[in-house]
Every structure is written in C-alpha cells, then in structure tokens.
Amino acid sequence: MRTRRRVRTQPEAGGVPVNALEIKNLHVTYGSGPGAVPAVRGVGLTVEPGRKLGLAGESGCGKSTLALALLRLLPPTATLSGEILLAGEDVLTMKWGRLRAVRWAGASIVFQSAMHSLNPVHRIGDQIAEPVLLHRRTTPAAARARAGALLEQVGLPAARAGAYPHELSGGQRQRVMIAMALACDPRLIVADEPTTALDVMTQAQILRLIERLVADQDISLLMISHDLAVLADTCDRLAVMYAGRVVEEGPARAVYDTALHPYGHALSAAFPRVGDPASRRAPRGLPGDPPDPSALPGGCTFHPRCPVTLDRCATDDPELRDAAPGRRAACVRIAPAVPS
C-alpha cells in the first residue's frame, strides 16, 4: 500500500507562510559599459508554497537566464540586482557557504538537455548519490540506496543505477535528472524546458511524472517552456516574458484561453486547438523575431511586431499592472483594474 509523504510546511514570519520563491525587481546584465546587454529587466514573480508557476516566451526572452540567476549559476560577466528570496532568504546576499547549502537542498534545477547535464563517464546511480553525500551526513551505501529509491520513484528500476547515460533513452535520462533534483528534498524545483526534444508520448509521461511528484511531496515548481499549452495544462499560474520582462501574468488556463496582452494572445494562437478545425488547418504565427537585447526599440519593446499597435506604443513603455482580478498585464490598451 502506497503511503502519502507527510506534507512539509514552509517557515513562517509573523504567522504568515513564507513564499517558496519571491523575485523582486530582478535585473540581469551581461557585460558592462556601452556594450552591456540587459537580459532580464525588472522581473517580479512569486511562487507560493506547493504551487506551480509556468514561465513562457520565445527563445531569447530571458527565461533560462532567469532560471540560472535563481541559484547564482550565471557566469562572472553577469551583473545581478534586485532580490531573489528562497523561503524568505535572499540568494543574492548569501555567502558562498550558505549558497552551497541551499543548492540542491533548498532549490534544485532540472536542465533542458539531460545528455549535456549528465557526466558521460560516471554511472547514473553515482551521479544521483553525489548530492546526497555532499548535503547529508550519510554513508556511501545509504546514498546508493537513496539513489535506487529515487530511480524507482521516477519510474525506473533501481538496477539501472549501474547504467551510463548513453545506455538510456532520452526520456529515461530526463527521469534521471528529475531524480537528481529530488535527491535532497528541495522545497522548490525549477524545470527549464524539461521536455525539449522528447517525442509527444514521452513528453506527456514526463509532465505527468512532474505533476505527481510535486503534488505528492508538496514541492513548489517553476516550469519554464516556450509551449503555452503545456504550461496551461500543468501549472496553476502562468507568466509570459518578452524581451527580458514579464508582460502578462495570471491563472494559467485564463492566460492561455483569453490572453490580455497581444504577445500572450499571439503565443496562444500559435498552437492549434484540438476540436477546432480552423486553428488546426491554419495555425497563426507571429511575424518577425524578438528584439536584440543590446538594441531594444523605444517605447513598448513589442510594438514593432504588435498587430494592434498604437502611435503611443512607440514612446510609452507600460509597466505590469493589475488588469483583472488575479491578472496583470503591460499594455497601453489595457485599462487598469478598478479596486473592489
């Protein structure tokens, strides 16, 4: 008989549960001086305890930079400012010893390319056991047993711990990455394009696996993808990024079905709806490409591609603001929500 794991509670401040992740006015810039490239510009997001937030956008909009910034995994050429609060503690002000303790144990990342993330010359069981040995006072035998249990938890036989990465399929390697992310019982998992390059059936299996593990273990999830449909089916809330900024945020299904920002609407329209012959025969795309971060246009950065642009969009750069109950958007066409 399968037993449900005891639900963990987040630390509390003044009787109020602390959010698993809270990002405040985050800026990430590569380089310095006149050639500096702003990759993330003033992003603010919250992941509540036990909840799932999706982050969507085209390639180059800053999603992966944001994911790497959460645990300070960016190269030395990157400059960060703002706040990244994991369970109320600011990652950007942590000393290295504390940061090493938080990685894996407080938050972990499932990277998008398992083949590039796994070490090809080490067996997968040893790679899963490594963070357990580093973060827990345990024996190698206990760490290997933990690795086998984690493999079974993600749907692989414990005996596969002796395999090398090249001996596994793409979906199996992705399951190994998820097992590694769970190794030290983190409160938050960041999944950066976890189903990239997988076939449709394997993608569905991995997504259901992530959903089940998050629910069973009371883990918070930040899932990053270019696929709005996947995020709408998997997450509670959805944020849409464009040119380094969040341009829309709200309940996942509402953002997917009735996007308020023209960019969110264009992303949603690019995916054909099952049962809708018109969208299946003629899915709509969005002409052009995201702007070069080193040469952003004035005003709203989306206006050169926007199908409903106004003259003022070339000069006005709207902030993300309340647009409906539980929803925010950054567009001059959207009237601010009236406080109730």
Side-chain angles (χ1 to χ4, degrees):
M1 178 177 176
R2 184 169 175 265
T3 58
R4 181 180 174 88
R5 179 177 172 176
R6 181 172 62 86
V7 173
R8 298 172 300 173
T9 57
Q10 295 285 356
E12 296 192 359
V16 179
V18 176
N19 289 316
L21 172 66
E22 192 168 358
I23 304 171
K24 298 181 179 180
N25 195 31
L26 178 64
H27 290 261
V28 179
T29 303
Y30 291 110
S32 60
V37 178
V40 175
R41 305 181 297 129
V43 168
L45 291 170
T46 298
V47 183
E48 298 174 348
R51 306 294 283 178
K52 298 169 288 186
L53 174 67
L55 186 62
E58 294 170 282
S59 298
C61 70
K63 306 186 302 299
S64 292
T65 290
L66 177 66
L68 295 173
L70 297 183
L71 290 175
R72 281 167 53 187
L73 297 173
L74 292 168
T77 54
T79 302
L80 289 78
S81 65
E83 293 179 274
I84 301 173
L85 305 178
L86 285 175
E89 192 173 0
D90 192 353
V91 172
L92 299 186
T93 61
M94 287 180 184
K95 294 183 178 180
W96 277 110
R98 177 57 182 157
L99 181 61
R100 289 180 63 188
V102 166
R103 291 172 176 170
W104 294 99
S108 58
I109 299 180
V110 179
F111 294 102
Q112 59 181 289
S113 177
M115 195 61 189
H116 294 135
S117 300
L118 295 171
N119 192 320
V121 300
H122 289 287
R123 300 179 191 274
I124 61 170
D126 293 336
Q127 297 187 57
I128 297 172
E130 183 179 9
V132 179
L133 287 169
L134 289 173
H135 288 272
R136 293 182 173 179
R137 294 182 177 179
T138 189
T139 63
R144 288 194 296 271
R146 170 70 172 159
L150 286 164
L151 286 174
E152 292 185 341
Q153 197 172 352
V154 299
L156 292 175
R160 298 298 281 165
Y164 290 96
H166 72 271
E167 297 177 309
L168 304 177
S169 69
Q172 290 173 328
R173 287 193 292 266
Q174 204 62 42
R175 289 172 185 267
V176 172
M177 291 295 297
I178 295 170
M180 290 178 66
L182 294 170
C184 297
D185 295 317
R187 293 191 179 97
L188 172 72
I189 287 182
V190 180
D192 186 7
E193 302 273 10
T195 58
T196 296
L198 299 179
D199 62 80
V200 175
M201 293 297 294
T202 304
Q203 173 179 285
Q205 293 170 3
I206 295 297
L207 291 174
R208 297 292 82 80
L209 171 65
I210 292 174
E211 281 189 288
R212 175 175 61 79
L213 292 172
V214 167
D216 286 354
Q217 303 192 24
D218 193 41
I219 299 171
S220 302
L221 173 70
L222 174 62
M223 180 177 285
I224 297 172
S225 177
H226 63 277
D227 192 329
L228 247 66
V230 164
L231 296 177
D233 287 340
T234 306
C235 299
D236 305 306
R237 296 185 65 81
L238 176 59
V240 178
M241 279 188 76
Y242 186 79
R245 293 180 60 185
V246 174
V247 296
E248 182 167 358
E249 193 235 336
R253 180 51 61 177
V255 173
Y256 180 61
D257 290 338
T258 56
L260 299 176
H261 193 280
Y263 180 62
H265 179 75
L267 283 183
S268 178
F271 295 92
R273 262 61 167 182
V274 175
D276 181 3
S279 69
R280 288 176 63 84
R281 291 172 184 152
R284 289 170 289 171
L286 184 64
D289 297 304
D292 182 344
S294 63
L296 295 172
C300 173
T301 52
F302 183 59
H303 87 266
R305 304 173 69 193
C306 182
V308 292
T309 185
L310 302 173
D311 290 342
R312 58 183 291 199
C313 297
T315 55
D316 292 357
D317 189 12
E319 295 288 332
L320 194 66
R321 60 189 180 186
D322 294 338
R327 303 184 66 174
R328 299 187 299 163
C331 180
V332 298
R333 286 181 171 272
I334 299 171
V338 179
S340 57

